[in-house]
Amino acid sequence: MVLHMRHTPVLAHEILDVLALEPGMHVVDGTLGDGGHAQHMLQQTAPNGRLLGVDLDPEAITRAASLLRDDADRVTLIRESFAHIDACVKQHAVDPVHAILLDLGWSTPQFEQRGRGFSFQRVDEPLDMRLSGDANKDLKTAADLLSTLPAQDLAQIFKDFGEEKLAQDIANAIVDTRKNARLSTVGDLVAIILDVYRKKLKSKKDIPWVGGLHPATKVFQALRIAVNHELTTLEAGLQKAVDLLAPNGRLAVISFHSLEDRIVKHCFKSFQKKNIGLILTKKPVTPSDKECSQNPRARSAKLRAIKKL
Ligand SMILES: C[S@@+](CC[C@H](N)C(=O)[O-])C[C@H]1O[C@@H](n2cnc3c(N)ncnc32)[C@H](O)[C@@H]1O
């Protein structure tokens, strides 16, 4: 039997505060995940509020459907990207939309259980990294990118999406290695990164940790962002979300790294400048020490919210 470790929703109370939900409201959860936030939001909008839950990952939808089964009559779940949130809302006639949540990134089961190469610790897994799995056949896998892109493009990805200091060295080493064999597993890529770091740091350690981080951390983050076009998707999703909201409706976004937070901050500022929205969080809301100690994944979370004018 496979035991699924359920995802713990981050900043759950703070989300409810900024969304100011009331009974009967219509909510869109654009990153449904395991349905933790959705469950809280359904409690606030009971007895007749509706929730449209969207997630790219078919397995997340299955897990959420099980958690939300008691409220199934007021829940609709769709496998789709929040980049197409407008079409989902139209198709399911959610009108008006009072609140939208985007809790970005990945859920605990996705990291811990999937055979898709999200974690650099699972050395035998294939370097896939597509969040949608096989559902989107047009999306290139991480292994595809590593075996086809020129060194310059790989270095750019590692630099732009991972802020990786040894981006060019790692890209060159990948291109050298692939002359002889395709990089197909997590272990293949981790071995190259470790080798580059050992040479640079003149270290003989198995893992030459860099400021408390495994040397593969940034490259894996960068590849995941590139494979899933995460940053362009986020910009498109934010624009569509704010357009969809009814006047006084609220959009809340939780991000987990500075690249995402920067995009949210800039988009919200531009919405405010154009008089489309009013920023509710001058500074991002971050989790309490208590939450961080109970759920270490919360440590990097930042919540920003805006109200539609
Ligand atoms: C941090 S989890 C959400 C957890 C959820 N709030 C909960 O309480 O269980 C992020 C979810 O967003 C999904 N996701 C990431 N990018 C997406 C996108 N572009 N469109 C829809 N879902 C996406 C992931 O598959 C993942 O399930």
Side-chain angles (χ1 to χ4, degrees), residues 6-10 29-41 54-58 60-61 63-64 67 78-84 101-110 114 116 131-132 228-230 233-234 254 256 297:
R6 204 171 262 290
H7 180 81
T8 309
V10 169
D29 187 339
T31 51
L32 179 73
D34 285 16
H37 283 114
Q39 191 180 43
H40 292 287
M41 295 191 289
V54 176
D55 202 293
L56 263 181
D57 183 350
I61 300 275
R63 286 192 296 272
L67 183 73
I78 316 174
R79 199 211 67 77
E80 190 41 279
S81 167
F82 59 68
H84 307 299
L101 169 64
L102 297 179
D103 174 18
L104 302 172
W106 313 74
S107 70
T108 308
Q110 283 169 332
R114 311 303 295 268
R116 296 190 201 153
L131 194 50
S132 50
N228 296 289
H229 304 286
E230 287 181 28
T233 300
L234 175 58
I254 305 177
F256 289 89
R297 190 178 178 276

Side-chain angles (χ1 to χ4, degrees), residues 42-57:
L42 280 162
Q43 280 161 8
Q44 303 273 311
T45 59
N48 56 343
R50 295 201 55 82
L51 180 128
L52 178 67
V54 176
D55 202 293
L56 263 181
D57 183 350

